[in-house]
Amino acid sequence: MTPTNDQPAPRTFTAAPPLSGEVAVPGDKSISHRSLMLSALAVGESRVEGLLEGEDVLATAAAMRAMGADIERDADGVWHIHGVGVGGLLQPQTALDMGNSGTSTRLLMGLLASHDLTATFVGDASLSKRPMARVTEPLSRMGASFMTSPGDRLPLTMRGACPAVPLDYRLPVASAQVKSAVLLAGLNTPGITRVVEPIATRDHSERMLKGFGADLTVDIEGDGTRIISLVGEAELRPQQIIVPSDPSSAAFPMVAALIVPGSRVTIANVGLNATRAGLIDLLREMGGSIDVVNAREVGGEPVGDLIVTASSLKSVEPDPARAPSMIDEYPVAFIAAAMAEGRSLFRGLEELRVKESDRIATMAEGLRAIGVAVEELEDGVVIEGSGGAPLAGGGPIATKLDHRIAMSFAVAGLVSKNGVTIDDMRPVATSFPTFLPLLQSLGAME
Ligand code: S3P
């Protein structure tokens, strides 16, 4: 599973004994990206503890360095960032390599849209298939210009506008990446940039922008619509950030502990921001035993320790309105549904088709390959649960450069009769480099 290895790393996961122990998953990916970007725009030194050192976040760090920020990691794993000031990013001398990371790409496109520079973005085969029109459209209205590959995809070259024009933008898709791109562009834009968000998405950008001293307000209307207003030409003050553990990574040991009979696992220090905690609610509705202890606030984000005990699960038909609060957790939620009693119906998930892979198609194909009865819908899936009986198993599962597909089917392997083979575990390094040692420490594998 070495990131530099250019050979696929297949692996088979087999039926596990009861999982037990206390584990910590790595830092939150969304918060890690934002902490590097905003620190790089503050004047003075910011310190970040608990940064996710996965490939996606390292791509953001490399890009910020290429545009003038000084970013170092010390021997204790604390990151020190000396920023260049809002508006102070420098012209990158080579193309910015975003690897597999949609968040790096879309947020940085926003940041650069109000800088007087030209930048080229490139990425891997998965990222080069993902739609960028959702950000090029609003950013063009702010004055930036884009030369994209066909279908508004990477590789693309953009030219920022300085001064950019403030925008009043109603999000046409529930996407924190699009919201954040517009807000980051607004940082170096005179006047007020406003984003209207009919369905709440993760709010880490808003929290962190305020924490760095930006003048940002959020008004919530009667129907829940959020109006986020940012005063431009902001000055950001350096911060000390402690990154909580990523709930999207905690999702894998969480589901594993629920479905492997006899398990009891504690997952420490997990981010519990309500805009991210949808999976916990869903699993509890399915009958999962998940207790939150030591609930506290760290660095402006709610966190807690989760105690997860194996449970008999029942099927669900979740309201599509909750999708943004667990958008990255559906693949592993489908594994939980495959082990539940009854038929689960998931709808309203068209956004899953434009993630690191088409997660509706990739999951349906993989579930079928391991003996689960599944029907693929345009915007979701129907899954017939086993009622707690082991899944047949099989594979190899085609992960299609998608870390969450690899980890979801690894979890399925732990409750399989014949094992589940994953074609390539390397993508896991984008978000969860310690996934295999963590499973080992829970006794899930040798
Ligand atoms: C992210 C937002 C989500 C999520 C992604 C991270 C972010 O994407 O899927 O993994 O950090 O803003 P969308 O906002 O496009 O749904």
Side-chain angles (χ1 to χ4, degrees), residues 202-373:
R202 65 191 67 195
D203 63 356
H204 306 300
S205 295
E206 295 93 303
R207 287 172 187 252
M208 205 180 281
L209 280 163
K210 272 199 223 163
F212 272 81
D215 184 350
L216 178 142
T217 50
V218 182
D219 296 304
I220 304 179
E221 298 193 320
D223 65 355
T225 298
R226 291 154 43 92
I227 302 170
I228 305 147
S229 307
L230 172 74
V231 179
E233 299 182 303
E235 264 185 48
L236 301 186
R237 291 187 296 271
Q239 299 298 309
Q240 314 251 344
I241 297 171
I242 301 175
V243 181
S245 291
D246 197 325
S248 300
S249 297
F252 300 103
M254 206 189 304
V255 170
L258 287 177
I259 63 178
V260 175
S263 300
R264 185 179 164 86
V265 168
T266 300
I267 312 170
N269 201 35
V270 181
L272 294 174
N273 181 317
T275 62
R276 298 286 301 283
L279 179 71
I280 296 179
D281 298 337
L282 183 84
L283 293 171
R284 281 180 172 157
E285 280 163 37
M286 294 175 78
S289 165
I290 303 172
D291 292 323
V292 176
V293 295
N294 295 329
R296 58 204 184 271
E297 182 141 327
V298 176
E301 293 277 350
V303 302
D305 303 335
L306 306 181
I307 301 176
V308 189
T309 313
S311 309
S312 303
L313 300 179
K314 54 182 191 297
S315 58
V316 271
E317 296 195 2
D319 181 353
R322 75 191 336 162
S325 72
M326 54 172 290
I327 193 68
D328 291 335
E329 285 69 80
Y330 281 101
V332 77
F334 295 168
I335 302 297
M339 287 297 290
E341 174 87 56
R343 174 180 300 179
S344 293
L345 170 64
F346 295 89
R347 301 216 70 154
L349 303 181
E350 41 282 283
E351 272 297 295
L352 293 192
R353 293 213 181 262
V354 291
K355 295 296 180 188
E356 286 82 329
S357 70
D358 173 343
R359 286 183 175 159
I360 295 181
T362 318
M363 283 304 299
E365 201 182 307
L367 284 168
R368 230 171 268 128
I370 62 169
V372 178

Side-chain angles (χ1 to χ4, degrees), residues 29-30 34 103 106 134 174-177 202 327-328 351 355 404:
K29 182 152 74 70
S30 294
R34 287 158 173 82
T103 309
R106 297 195 178 115
R134 54 183 58 200
S175 165
Q177 293 183 353
R202 65 191 67 195
I327 193 68
D328 291 335
E351 272 297 295
K355 295 296 180 188
R404 300 199 201 280

Side-chain angles (χ1 to χ4, degrees), residues 405-424:
I405 299 294
M407 291 186 278
S408 298
F409 283 102
V411 169
L414 306 182
V415 288
S416 65
K417 276 199 232 96
N418 304 314
V420 171
T421 300
I422 314 295
D423 69 346
D424 190 6

Side-chain angles (χ1 to χ4, degrees), residues 28-51:
D28 188 279
K29 182 152 74 70
S30 294
I31 296 175
S32 295
H33 284 299
R34 287 158 173 82
S35 64
L36 289 175
M37 290 181 196
L38 294 190
S39 297
L41 294 179
V43 179
E45 182 183 296
S46 294
R47 285 165 48 97
V48 184
E49 272 178 58
L51 188 87

